[in-house]
Amino acid sequence: MDKTKYIFVTGGVTSSLGKGIIAASLGKLLQARGFRVTNQKLDPYINVDPGTLNPYEHGECFVTVDGHEADLDLGHYERFLGVETHKANNVTTGRIYQNVINKERRGDYLGKTVQVIPHITDEIKRNIKSLGSKGEFDFVITEIGGTVGDIESLPYIESVRQLRWELGKNCLIVHLTYVPYLAAAKELKTKPTQHSVKALQEQGVQPDILVLRTEHNISPEMRKKVALFCNVEPSAVMQSIDVPSIYRVPLNMQAEKLDEVALTKMGYDLATTKPAQMEKWAAFVEKLEGAKEEVRIALVGKYVQLPDAYKSIIESLIQAATYNDRKLKLDLILSDKVNDENVEKKLSKVDGILIAPGFGTRGMEGKFSALKYARGNNIPCLGICMGMQTMSIEFARNVLGLKDANSTEIDANTTHNVVDIMDEQKNILDLGGSMRLGAYQCSIKPNTKAASIYSQSTISERHRHRYEFNNEYKNAFENAGMICSGHNEESNLVEIIELKSHKWYIGVQFHPEYRSTVVNPHPLFISFIKASISK
Ligand code: GLN
């Protein structure tokens, strides 16, 4: 059995170059050749995990099957590879230092001075190699968050330097940079790339492959120039040109021979290595780019100024629209700007409405107005997590007549706590430990919309919540036509509600978006879009 090989993806010049997409694209190409691949993200911030970060900081908090609140890049990795990630796939500086300090407090270091080298770098390397230690992967692709040159990245780059030394050919470094285009001079400029590579070299790291983000094609001459200044072969200087869809990137990187150059540098003979089977992927991208008719979906949420806050939901909608031969037209509606007076103007032209997850009071009333409009006008509507909770409250207020119905998250003293805090959460004060997180089973009630969508009686979906539907109201809801069609039997928790008399009106306590991938789009989103385009 060949030893696991480690590929590092670093970024330079500026942030937001799409390191995650390049890392996921390389993973996809290697996986398409029959290799077992997993991606990992190292985040250089001191927060112990992304779970307590405001979505405006780094976008969506992605949740793994084992309940880790992770960076949104893990969503890209799963959507591209279709391989579940876990807690080990995302580590922050905060967690690295917490682990080292816990060891120091336990006396594990036997009174020695605890330092960045070797203790912090050893912990970083331990977290990287832990993914490859069980021999379940041929490649571990680790994306180093941040930008080379940042002070926060120094321990990670030092760890990469050490691993490059320790692993030899079982290690490869891909450095992603940006080549700006000066419109006035009509020139692409490679100096920032040269400086970024120099910064890496000063830390003892020589990249094996350079990927240049660019708005325009980079000529062979310019690639030769970059190769000369950066000590790599011209064939190892590639471009990643701006594209309308991230799903085009794996095909572009295949055309740039990213997988071929990487495999060759790690000692593989391409003649005896399976070619990348990308036909299914290419067919999806053709569908995506070829779709003419639109499906217009409103996403009603409180963080819509930063679409990355809903990354997995938006990608799930794009996938579902594509498989329904439609182009997604997304209306991002700020929930705190919606009310009963303007809701018609905001939502009358959409084919479907999605009420997004969220925390806290802001925007709740706007979600109620949107739901009342969707329910009253037979517009397909999907509620996710807080979306299902607001569906419950709106139904209680406007159908059951419980005018002060609310969630105890919003009003702890409401007399009708249609949505209440879960018992096991009541006394947890630890900032990071107060959520029901990860995959849990859900039984589907037969002869319901949920049953026809999932076509199976038990499903497993991922969660991130503290509040739940209050079972005391179940009979009243069902007698009034809101069916509880999904349950977690273990916790006696309502997981799915659906309106019988409506075209398509479903609320789910879980997050289906975390499970939708390019090759296996989520059935709930497929069905939601199908209902949205049906007349
Ligand atoms: N704030 C709600 C809860 O904690 C919903 C959470 C969410 O939408 N992710 O249960």
Side-chain angles (χ1 to χ4, degrees), residues 356-360 364 367 384-389 407 409-410 419-422 434-436 463-468 509-511 513-514:
F359 294 84
M364 290 285 276
K367 288 181 176 180
I384 296 177
C385 204
M386 170 71 95
M388 176 189 126
Q389 295 174 2
S407 162
E409 177 177 8
I410 308 310
V419 174
D420 199 4
I421 188 163
M422 283 179 277
S434 63
M435 290 281 183
R436 179 169 179 254
H463 298 70
R464 183 176 184 238
H465 67 110
R466 291 189 74 198
Y467 293 81
E468 64 182 355
Q509 184 58 71
F510 47 79
H511 291 257
E513 69 274 18
Y514 294 145

PDB file of all heavy atoms in Angstrom, residues 356-360 364 367 384-389 407 409-410 419-422 434-436 463-468 509-511 513-514, ligand 1:
ATOM      1  N   ALA A 356     -34.498  31.225   5.307  1.00  0.00           N
ATOM      2  CA  ALA A 356     -33.162  30.756   5.678  1.00  0.00           C
ATOM      3  C   ALA A 356     -33.018  30.494   7.173  1.00  0.00           C
ATOM      4  O   ALA A 356     -33.813  30.975   7.983  1.00  0.00           O
ATOM      5  CB  ALA A 356     -32.132  31.800   5.254  1.00  0.00           C
ATOM      6  N   PRO A 357     -31.969  29.742   7.542  1.00  0.00           N
ATOM      7  CA  PRO A 357     -31.651  29.540   8.963  1.00  0.00           C
ATOM      8  C   PRO A 357     -31.210  30.867   9.577  1.00  0.00           C
ATOM      9  O   PRO A 357     -30.985  31.860   8.882  1.00  0.00           O
ATOM     10  CB  PRO A 357     -30.456  28.570   8.924  1.00  0.00           C
ATOM     11  CG  PRO A 357     -30.375  28.054   7.538  1.00  0.00           C
ATOM     12  CD  PRO A 357     -31.039  29.056   6.655  1.00  0.00           C
ATOM     13  N   GLY A 358     -31.078  30.896  10.901  1.00  0.00           N
ATOM     14  CA  GLY A 358     -30.591  32.113  11.544  1.00  0.00           C
ATOM     15  C   GLY A 358     -30.712  32.041  13.053  1.00  0.00           C
ATOM     16  O   GLY A 358     -31.261  31.083  13.585  1.00  0.00           O
ATOM     17  N   PHE A 359     -30.198  33.046  13.702  1.00  0.00           N
ATOM     18  CA  PHE A 359     -30.217  33.126  15.169  1.00  0.00           C
ATOM     19  C   PHE A 359     -30.674  34.526  15.578  1.00  0.00           C
ATOM     20  O   PHE A 359     -30.357  35.501  14.906  1.00  0.00           O
ATOM     21  CB  PHE A 359     -28.809  32.860  15.733  1.00  0.00           C
ATOM     22  CG  PHE A 359     -28.339  31.447  15.485  1.00  0.00           C
ATOM     23  CD1 PHE A 359     -27.752  31.088  14.281  1.00  0.00           C
ATOM     24  CD2 PHE A 359     -28.528  30.462  16.448  1.00  0.00           C
ATOM     25  CE1 PHE A 359     -27.340  29.788  14.048  1.00  0.00           C
ATOM     26  CE2 PHE A 359     -28.123  29.148  16.211  1.00  0.00           C
ATOM     27  CZ  PHE A 359     -27.525  28.812  15.007  1.00  0.00           C
ATOM     28  N   GLY A 360     -31.454  34.585  16.672  1.00  0.00           N
ATOM     29  CA  GLY A 360     -31.808  35.882  17.231  1.00  0.00           C
ATOM     30  C   GLY A 360     -33.029  36.514  16.588  1.00  0.00           C
ATOM     31  O   GLY A 360     -33.574  36.018  15.591  1.00  0.00           O
ATOM     32  N   MET A 364     -37.085  38.357  12.161  1.00  0.00           N
ATOM     33  CA  MET A 364     -38.146  37.342  12.364  1.00  0.00           C
ATOM     34  C   MET A 364     -39.478  37.840  11.807  1.00  0.00           C
ATOM     35  O   MET A 364     -40.155  37.116  11.074  1.00  0.00           O
ATOM     36  CB  MET A 364     -38.312  37.052  13.860  1.00  0.00           C
ATOM     37  CG  MET A 364     -37.179  36.308  14.483  1.00  0.00           C
ATOM     38  SD  MET A 364     -37.179  34.578  14.040  1.00  0.00           S
ATOM     39  CE  MET A 364     -38.343  33.947  15.255  1.00  0.00           C
ATOM     40  N   LYS A 367     -39.766  37.451   8.211  1.00  0.00           N
ATOM     41  CA  LYS A 367     -39.953  36.050   7.786  1.00  0.00           C
ATOM     42  C   LYS A 367     -41.422  35.658   7.939  1.00  0.00           C
ATOM     43  O   LYS A 367     -41.983  34.969   7.090  1.00  0.00           O
ATOM     44  CB  LYS A 367     -39.038  35.124   8.610  1.00  0.00           C
ATOM     45  CG  LYS A 367     -37.559  35.260   8.240  1.00  0.00           C
ATOM     46  CD  LYS A 367     -36.651  34.313   9.042  1.00  0.00           C
ATOM     47  CE  LYS A 367     -35.210  34.423   8.562  1.00  0.00           C
ATOM     48  NZ  LYS A 367     -34.284  33.526   9.310  1.00  0.00           N
ATOM     49  N   ILE A 384     -35.801  26.315   6.336  1.00  0.00           N
ATOM     50  CA  ILE A 384     -34.667  25.524   6.853  1.00  0.00           C
ATOM     51  C   ILE A 384     -34.323  25.993   8.263  1.00  0.00           C
ATOM     52  O   ILE A 384     -34.030  27.172   8.472  1.00  0.00           O
ATOM     53  CB  ILE A 384     -33.432  25.645   5.946  1.00  0.00           C
ATOM     54  CG1 ILE A 384     -33.731  25.039   4.571  1.00  0.00           C
ATOM     55  CG2 ILE A 384     -32.221  24.974   6.574  1.00  0.00           C
ATOM     56  CD1 ILE A 384     -32.585  25.171   3.573  1.00  0.00           C
ATOM     57  N   CYS A 385     -34.395  25.075   9.213  1.00  0.00           N
ATOM     58  CA  CYS A 385     -34.026  25.289  10.619  1.00  0.00           C
ATOM     59  C   CYS A 385     -34.836  26.441  11.214  1.00  0.00           C
ATOM     60  O   CYS A 385     -36.018  26.255  11.473  1.00  0.00           O
ATOM     61  CB  CYS A 385     -32.520  25.491  10.736  1.00  0.00           C
ATOM     62  SG  CYS A 385     -31.911  25.074  12.367  1.00  0.00           S
ATOM     63  N   MET A 386     -34.274  27.618  11.354  1.00  0.00           N
ATOM     64  CA  MET A 386     -35.080  28.770  11.817  1.00  0.00           C
ATOM     65  C   MET A 386     -36.245  28.971  10.853  1.00  0.00           C
ATOM     66  O   MET A 386     -37.330  29.419  11.243  1.00  0.00           O
ATOM     67  CB  MET A 386     -34.206  30.016  11.864  1.00  0.00           C
ATOM     68  CG  MET A 386     -34.946  31.312  12.088  1.00  0.00           C
ATOM     69  SD  MET A 386     -35.564  31.444  13.759  1.00  0.00           S
ATOM     70  CE  MET A 386     -34.254  32.373  14.523  1.00  0.00           C
ATOM     71  N   GLY A 387     -36.066  28.597   9.610  1.00  0.00           N
ATOM     72  CA  GLY A 387     -37.147  28.707   8.616  1.00  0.00           C
ATOM     73  C   GLY A 387     -38.333  27.855   9.003  1.00  0.00           C
ATOM     74  O   GLY A 387     -39.494  28.296   8.931  1.00  0.00           O
ATOM     75  N   MET A 388     -38.069  26.621   9.462  1.00  0.00           N
ATOM     76  CA  MET A 388     -39.181  25.769   9.925  1.00  0.00           C
ATOM     77  C   MET A 388     -39.790  26.329  11.194  1.00  0.00           C
ATOM     78  O   MET A 388     -41.021  26.326  11.379  1.00  0.00           O
ATOM     79  CB  MET A 388     -38.675  24.347  10.204  1.00  0.00           C
ATOM     80  CG  MET A 388     -39.763  23.449  10.776  1.00  0.00           C
ATOM     81  SD  MET A 388     -39.166  21.860  11.355  1.00  0.00           S
ATOM     82  CE  MET A 388     -39.803  21.859  13.030  1.00  0.00           C
ATOM     83  N   GLN A 389     -38.954  26.868  12.064  1.00  0.00           N
ATOM     84  CA  GLN A 389     -39.452  27.413  13.335  1.00  0.00           C
ATOM     85  C   GLN A 389     -40.353  28.621  13.089  1.00  0.00           C
ATOM     86  O   GLN A 389     -41.427  28.754  13.686  1.00  0.00           O
ATOM     87  CB  GLN A 389     -38.266  27.780  14.237  1.00  0.00           C
ATOM     88  CG  GLN A 389     -37.456  26.561  14.654  1.00  0.00           C
ATOM     89  CD  GLN A 389     -36.196  26.899  15.433  1.00  0.00           C
ATOM     90  OE1 GLN A 389     -35.917  28.066  15.710  1.00  0.00           O
ATOM     91  NE2 GLN A 389     -35.420  25.885  15.773  1.00  0.00           N
ATOM     92  N   SER A 407     -41.125  31.879  19.680  1.00  0.00           N
ATOM     93  CA  SER A 407     -40.071  30.973  20.123  1.00  0.00           C
ATOM     94  C   SER A 407     -39.481  31.545  21.407  1.00  0.00           C
ATOM     95  O   SER A 407     -39.318  32.775  21.525  1.00  0.00           O
ATOM     96  CB  SER A 407     -38.957  30.892  19.061  1.00  0.00           C
ATOM     97  OG  SER A 407     -37.774  30.371  19.642  1.00  0.00           O
ATOM     98  N   GLU A 409     -36.617  31.530  22.067  1.00  0.00           N
ATOM     99  CA  GLU A 409     -35.349  32.195  21.694  1.00  0.00           C
ATOM    100  C   GLU A 409     -35.585  33.693  21.548  1.00  0.00           C
ATOM    101  O   GLU A 409     -34.693  34.501  21.785  1.00  0.00           O
ATOM    102  CB  GLU A 409     -34.834  31.638  20.366  1.00  0.00           C
ATOM    103  CG  GLU A 409     -33.556  32.314  19.864  1.00  0.00           C
ATOM    104  CD  GLU A 409     -33.016  31.701  18.572  1.00  0.00           C
ATOM    105  OE1 GLU A 409     -33.691  30.852  17.975  1.00  0.00           O
ATOM    106  OE2 GLU A 409     -31.896  32.055  18.188  1.00  0.00           O
ATOM    107  N   ILE A 410     -36.806  34.038  21.118  1.00  0.00           N
ATOM    108  CA  ILE A 410     -37.124  35.448  20.875  1.00  0.00           C
ATOM    109  C   ILE A 410     -37.788  36.060  22.098  1.00  0.00           C
ATOM    110  O   ILE A 410     -37.514  37.187  22.482  1.00  0.00           O
ATOM    111  CB  ILE A 410     -38.068  35.537  19.642  1.00  0.00           C
ATOM    112  CG1 ILE A 410     -37.474  34.762  18.455  1.00  0.00           C
ATOM    113  CG2 ILE A 410     -38.328  36.999  19.275  1.00  0.00           C
ATOM    114  CD1 ILE A 410     -36.046  35.075  18.116  1.00  0.00           C
ATOM    115  N   VAL A 419     -42.210  27.197  19.634  1.00  0.00           N
ATOM    116  CA  VAL A 419     -40.816  26.753  19.460  1.00  0.00           C
ATOM    117  C   VAL A 419     -40.120  27.001  20.788  1.00  0.00           C
ATOM    118  O   VAL A 419     -40.125  28.121  21.297  1.00  0.00           O
ATOM    119  CB  VAL A 419     -40.119  27.530  18.314  1.00  0.00           C
ATOM    120  CG1 VAL A 419     -38.642  27.166  18.241  1.00  0.00           C
ATOM    121  CG2 VAL A 419     -40.805  27.244  16.986  1.00  0.00           C
ATOM    122  N   ASP A 420     -39.548  25.917  21.349  1.00  0.00           N
ATOM    123  CA  ASP A 420     -38.999  26.039  22.705  1.00  0.00           C
ATOM    124  C   ASP A 420     -37.582  25.501  22.747  1.00  0.00           C
ATOM    125  O   ASP A 420     -37.189  24.684  21.912  1.00  0.00           O
ATOM    126  CB  ASP A 420     -39.889  25.225  23.668  1.00  0.00           C
ATOM    127  CG  ASP A 420     -39.677  25.671  25.115  1.00  0.00           C
ATOM    128  OD1 ASP A 420     -38.908  26.644  25.321  1.00  0.00           O
ATOM    129  OD2 ASP A 420     -40.237  25.044  26.026  1.00  0.00           O
ATOM    130  N   ILE A 421     -36.836  25.927  23.744  1.00  0.00           N
ATOM    131  CA  ILE A 421     -35.447  25.457  23.857  1.00  0.00           C
ATOM    132  C   ILE A 421     -35.471  23.973  24.207  1.00  0.00           C
ATOM    133  O   ILE A 421     -36.350  23.514  24.934  1.00  0.00           O
ATOM    134  CB  ILE A 421     -34.661  26.269  24.910  1.00  0.00           C
ATOM    135  CG1 ILE A 421     -33.172  25.888  24.858  1.00  0.00           C
ATOM    136  CG2 ILE A 421     -35.230  26.059  26.317  1.00  0.00           C
ATOM    137  CD1 ILE A 421     -32.273  26.884  25.533  1.00  0.00           C
ATOM    138  N   MET A 422     -34.543  23.209  23.654  1.00  0.00           N
ATOM    139  CA  MET A 422     -34.502  21.778  23.929  1.00  0.00           C
ATOM    140  C   MET A 422     -34.076  21.545  25.365  1.00  0.00           C
ATOM    141  O   MET A 422     -33.213  22.270  25.884  1.00  0.00           O
ATOM    142  CB  MET A 422     -33.511  21.095  22.977  1.00  0.00           C
ATOM    143  CG  MET A 422     -34.045  20.910  21.575  1.00  0.00           C
ATOM    144  SD  MET A 422     -32.792  20.122  20.545  1.00  0.00           S
ATOM    145  CE  MET A 422     -31.839  21.528  20.088  1.00  0.00           C
ATOM    146  N   SER A 434     -23.322  24.689  22.938  1.00  0.00           N
ATOM    147  CA  SER A 434     -24.754  24.799  23.237  1.00  0.00           C
ATOM    148  C   SER A 434     -25.636  24.516  22.023  1.00  0.00           C
ATOM    149  O   SER A 434     -26.612  25.186  21.796  1.00  0.00           O
ATOM    150  CB  SER A 434     -25.021  26.219  23.713  1.00  0.00           C
ATOM    151  OG  SER A 434     -24.702  27.090  22.636  1.00  0.00           O
ATOM    152  N   MET A 435     -25.258  23.581  21.206  1.00  0.00           N
ATOM    153  CA  MET A 435     -26.037  23.312  20.002  1.00  0.00           C
ATOM    154  C   MET A 435     -26.271  21.813  19.864  1.00  0.00           C
ATOM    155  O   MET A 435     -25.448  21.006  20.291  1.00  0.00           O
ATOM    156  CB  MET A 435     -25.255  23.713  18.758  1.00  0.00           C
ATOM    157  CG  MET A 435     -25.071  25.160  18.571  1.00  0.00           C
ATOM    158  SD  MET A 435     -26.529  25.921  17.896  1.00  0.00           S
ATOM    159  CE  MET A 435     -25.859  27.555  17.762  1.00  0.00           C
ATOM    160  N   ARG A 436     -27.346  21.449  19.190  1.00  0.00           N
ATOM    161  CA  ARG A 436     -27.530  20.055  18.746  1.00  0.00           C
ATOM    162  C   ARG A 436     -26.870  20.028  17.372  1.00  0.00           C
ATOM    163  O   ARG A 436     -27.374  20.650  16.429  1.00  0.00           O
ATOM    164  CB  ARG A 436     -28.996  19.693  18.657  1.00  0.00           C
ATOM    165  CG  ARG A 436     -29.291  18.271  18.178  1.00  0.00           C
ATOM    166  CD  ARG A 436     -30.764  17.945  18.384  1.00  0.00           C
ATOM    167  NE  ARG A 436     -31.146  16.609  17.923  1.00  0.00           N
ATOM    168  CZ  ARG A 436     -31.847  16.369  16.825  1.00  0.00           C
ATOM    169  NH1 ARG A 436     -32.211  17.382  16.047  1.00  0.00           N
ATOM    170  NH2 ARG A 436     -32.180  15.136  16.484  1.00  0.00           N
ATOM    171  N   HIS A 463     -27.597  18.808  11.724  1.00  0.00           N
ATOM    172  CA  HIS A 463     -28.313  19.805  12.519  1.00  0.00           C
ATOM    173  C   HIS A 463     -27.361  20.848  13.095  1.00  0.00           C
ATOM    174  O   HIS A 463     -26.174  20.610  13.245  1.00  0.00           O
ATOM    175  CB  HIS A 463     -29.047  19.120  13.675  1.00  0.00           C
ATOM    176  CG  HIS A 463     -30.079  18.136  13.223  1.00  0.00           C
ATOM    177  ND1 HIS A 463     -29.757  16.939  12.628  1.00  0.00           N
ATOM    178  CD2 HIS A 463     -31.429  18.185  13.255  1.00  0.00           C
ATOM    179  CE1 HIS A 463     -30.866  16.284  12.317  1.00  0.00           C
ATOM    180  NE2 HIS A 463     -31.895  17.018  12.684  1.00  0.00           N
ATOM    181  N   ARG A 464     -27.950  22.012  13.421  1.00  0.00           N
ATOM    182  CA  ARG A 464     -27.227  23.046  14.173  1.00  0.00           C
ATOM    183  C   ARG A 464     -28.283  23.948  14.812  1.00  0.00           C
ATOM    184  O   ARG A 464     -28.640  24.991  14.274  1.00  0.00           O
ATOM    185  CB  ARG A 464     -26.322  23.872  13.250  1.00  0.00           C
ATOM    186  CG  ARG A 464     -25.500  24.907  13.975  1.00  0.00           C
ATOM    187  CD  ARG A 464     -24.547  25.619  13.034  1.00  0.00           C
ATOM    188  NE  ARG A 464     -23.686  26.550  13.744  1.00  0.00           N
ATOM    189  CZ  ARG A 464     -23.614  27.846  13.472  1.00  0.00           C
ATOM    190  NH1 ARG A 464     -24.336  28.351  12.473  1.00  0.00           N
ATOM    191  NH2 ARG A 464     -22.831  28.643  14.163  1.00  0.00           N
ATOM    192  N   HIS A 465     -28.816  23.510  15.941  1.00  0.00           N
ATOM    193  CA  HIS A 465     -29.888  24.295  16.550  1.00  0.00           C
ATOM    194  C   HIS A 465     -30.000  24.032  18.051  1.00  0.00           C
ATOM    195  O   HIS A 465     -29.455  23.069  18.563  1.00  0.00           O
ATOM    196  CB  HIS A 465     -31.224  23.964  15.879  1.00  0.00           C
ATOM    197  CG  HIS A 465     -31.726  22.574  16.127  1.00  0.00           C
ATOM    198  ND1 HIS A 465     -32.822  22.286  16.897  1.00  0.00           N
ATOM    199  CD2 HIS A 465     -31.265  21.371  15.697  1.00  0.00           C
ATOM    200  CE1 HIS A 465     -33.020  20.975  16.921  1.00  0.00           C
ATOM    201  NE2 HIS A 465     -32.084  20.402  16.210  1.00  0.00           N
ATOM    202  N   ARG A 466     -30.711  24.928  18.765  1.00  0.00           N
ATOM    203  CA  ARG A 466     -30.922  24.778  20.205  1.00  0.00           C
ATOM    204  C   ARG A 466     -32.409  24.684  20.524  1.00  0.00           C
ATOM    205  O   ARG A 466     -32.782  24.265  21.612  1.00  0.00           O
ATOM    206  CB  ARG A 466     -30.393  26.014  20.951  1.00  0.00           C
ATOM    207  CG  ARG A 466     -28.915  26.188  20.962  1.00  0.00           C
ATOM    208  CD  ARG A 466     -28.524  27.329  21.911  1.00  0.00           C
ATOM    209  NE  ARG A 466     -28.663  26.921  23.316  1.00  0.00           N
ATOM    210  CZ  ARG A 466     -28.719  27.802  24.313  1.00  0.00           C
ATOM    211  NH1 ARG A 466     -28.731  29.093  24.055  1.00  0.00           N
ATOM    212  NH2 ARG A 466     -28.802  27.391  25.559  1.00  0.00           N
ATOM    213  N   TYR A 467     -33.241  25.139  19.532  1.00  0.00           N
ATOM    214  CA  TYR A 467     -34.679  25.204  19.791  1.00  0.00           C
ATOM    215  C   TYR A 467     -35.402  24.178  18.932  1.00  0.00           C
ATOM    216  O   TYR A 467     -34.860  23.742  17.912  1.00  0.00           O
ATOM    217  CB  TYR A 467     -35.186  26.625  19.524  1.00  0.00           C
ATOM    218  CG  TYR A 467     -34.623  27.616  20.515  1.00  0.00           C
ATOM    219  CD1 TYR A 467     -33.335  28.141  20.345  1.00  0.00           C
ATOM    220  CD2 TYR A 467     -35.320  27.977  21.666  1.00  0.00           C
ATOM    221  CE1 TYR A 467     -32.786  29.013  21.274  1.00  0.00           C
ATOM    222  CE2 TYR A 467     -34.771  28.846  22.598  1.00  0.00           C
ATOM    223  CZ  TYR A 467     -33.498  29.357  22.392  1.00  0.00           C
ATOM    224  OH  TYR A 467     -32.949  30.199  23.324  1.00  0.00           O
ATOM    225  N   GLU A 468     -36.590  23.811  19.342  1.00  0.00           N
ATOM    226  CA  GLU A 468     -37.316  22.745  18.641  1.00  0.00           C
ATOM    227  C   GLU A 468     -38.807  23.025  18.668  1.00  0.00           C
ATOM    228  O   GLU A 468     -39.303  23.767  19.509  1.00  0.00           O
ATOM    229  CB  GLU A 468     -37.042  21.403  19.327  1.00  0.00           C
ATOM    230  CG  GLU A 468     -37.573  21.383  20.753  1.00  0.00           C
ATOM    231  CD  GLU A 468     -37.282  20.085  21.484  1.00  0.00           C
ATOM    232  OE1 GLU A 468     -36.744  19.158  20.869  1.00  0.00           O
ATOM    233  OE2 GLU A 468     -37.603  20.014  22.681  1.00  0.00           O
ATOM    234  N   GLN A 509     -36.201  20.989  10.301  1.00  0.00           N
ATOM    235  CA  GLN A 509     -35.372  21.457  11.402  1.00  0.00           C
ATOM    236  C   GLN A 509     -33.887  21.305  11.065  1.00  0.00           C
ATOM    237  O   GLN A 509     -33.044  22.013  11.583  1.00  0.00           O
ATOM    238  CB  GLN A 509     -35.705  20.654  12.683  1.00  0.00           C
ATOM    239  CG  GLN A 509     -34.970  21.114  13.915  1.00  0.00           C
ATOM    240  CD  GLN A 509     -35.238  22.577  14.216  1.00  0.00           C
ATOM    241  OE1 GLN A 509     -36.328  22.952  14.637  1.00  0.00           O
ATOM    242  NE2 GLN A 509     -34.265  23.455  13.961  1.00  0.00           N
ATOM    243  N   PHE A 510     -33.559  20.390  10.181  1.00  0.00           N
ATOM    244  CA  PHE A 510     -32.159  20.118   9.841  1.00  0.00           C
ATOM    245  C   PHE A 510     -31.709  20.978   8.666  1.00  0.00           C
ATOM    246  O   PHE A 510     -32.470  21.809   8.164  1.00  0.00           O
ATOM    247  CB  PHE A 510     -31.986  18.623   9.507  1.00  0.00           C
ATOM    248  CG  PHE A 510     -33.030  18.067   8.566  1.00  0.00           C
ATOM    249  CD1 PHE A 510     -32.957  18.291   7.185  1.00  0.00           C
ATOM    250  CD2 PHE A 510     -34.091  17.310   9.064  1.00  0.00           C
ATOM    251  CE1 PHE A 510     -33.918  17.782   6.325  1.00  0.00           C
ATOM    252  CE2 PHE A 510     -35.067  16.786   8.199  1.00  0.00           C
ATOM    253  CZ  PHE A 510     -34.978  17.029   6.823  1.00  0.00           C
ATOM    254  N   HIS A 511     -30.462  20.756   8.248  1.00  0.00           N
ATOM    255  CA  HIS A 511     -29.850  21.533   7.160  1.00  0.00           C
ATOM    256  C   HIS A 511     -29.565  20.605   5.979  1.00  0.00           C
ATOM    257  O   HIS A 511     -28.470  20.048   5.881  1.00  0.00           O
ATOM    258  CB  HIS A 511     -28.563  22.181   7.646  1.00  0.00           C
ATOM    259  CG  HIS A 511     -28.757  23.271   8.636  1.00  0.00           C
ATOM    260  ND1 HIS A 511     -28.667  24.605   8.308  1.00  0.00           N
ATOM    261  CD2 HIS A 511     -29.067  23.235   9.946  1.00  0.00           C
ATOM    262  CE1 HIS A 511     -28.896  25.345   9.380  1.00  0.00           C
ATOM    263  NE2 HIS A 511     -29.150  24.536  10.394  1.00  0.00           N
ATOM    264  N   GLU A 513     -28.896  21.338   3.039  1.00  0.00           N
ATOM    265  CA  GLU A 513     -27.897  21.918   2.138  1.00  0.00           C
ATOM    266  C   GLU A 513     -26.500  21.368   2.373  1.00  0.00           C
ATOM    267  O   GLU A 513     -25.650  21.393   1.480  1.00  0.00           O
ATOM    268  CB  GLU A 513     -27.886  23.443   2.260  1.00  0.00           C
ATOM    269  CG  GLU A 513     -27.351  24.009   3.574  1.00  0.00           C
ATOM    270  CD  GLU A 513     -28.395  24.120   4.685  1.00  0.00           C
ATOM    271  OE1 GLU A 513     -29.448  23.457   4.584  1.00  0.00           O
ATOM    272  OE2 GLU A 513     -28.150  24.880   5.643  1.00  0.00           O
ATOM    273  N   TYR A 514     -26.245  20.852   3.583  1.00  0.00           N
ATOM    274  CA  TYR A 514     -24.898  20.350   3.870  1.00  0.00           C
ATOM    275  C   TYR A 514     -24.633  19.029   3.161  1.00  0.00           C
ATOM    276  O   TYR A 514     -23.493  18.584   3.080  1.00  0.00           O
ATOM    277  CB  TYR A 514     -24.707  20.144   5.385  1.00  0.00           C
ATOM    278  CG  TYR A 514     -24.738  21.410   6.210  1.00  0.00           C
ATOM    279  CD1 TYR A 514     -25.280  21.407   7.488  1.00  0.00           C
ATOM    280  CD2 TYR A 514     -24.249  22.612   5.719  1.00  0.00           C
ATOM    281  CE1 TYR A 514     -25.324  22.560   8.260  1.00  0.00           C
ATOM    282  CE2 TYR A 514     -24.292  23.774   6.476  1.00  0.00           C
ATOM    283  CZ  TYR A 514     -24.826  23.745   7.746  1.00  0.00           C
ATOM    284  OH  TYR A 514     -24.876  24.892   8.515  1.00  0.00           O
TER     285      TYR A 514
HETATM  286  N1  GLN B   1     -31.824  29.848  16.224  1.00  0.00           N
HETATM  287  C1  GLN B   1     -32.565  28.608  16.010  1.00  0.00           C
HETATM  288  C2  GLN B   1     -32.100  27.521  16.997  1.00  0.00           C
HETATM  289  O1  GLN B   1     -31.079  27.693  17.627  1.00  0.00           O
HETATM  290  C3  GLN B   1     -32.384  28.115  14.594  1.00  0.00           C
HETATM  291  C4  GLN B   1     -30.933  27.827  14.297  1.00  0.00           C
HETATM  292  C5  GLN B   1     -30.644  27.790  12.812  1.00  0.00           C
HETATM  293  O2  GLN B   1     -31.422  28.283  11.999  1.00  0.00           O
HETATM  294  N2  GLN B   1     -29.496  27.223  12.410  1.00  0.00           N
HETATM  295  O3  GLN B   1     -32.747  26.480  17.119  1.00  0.00           O
END
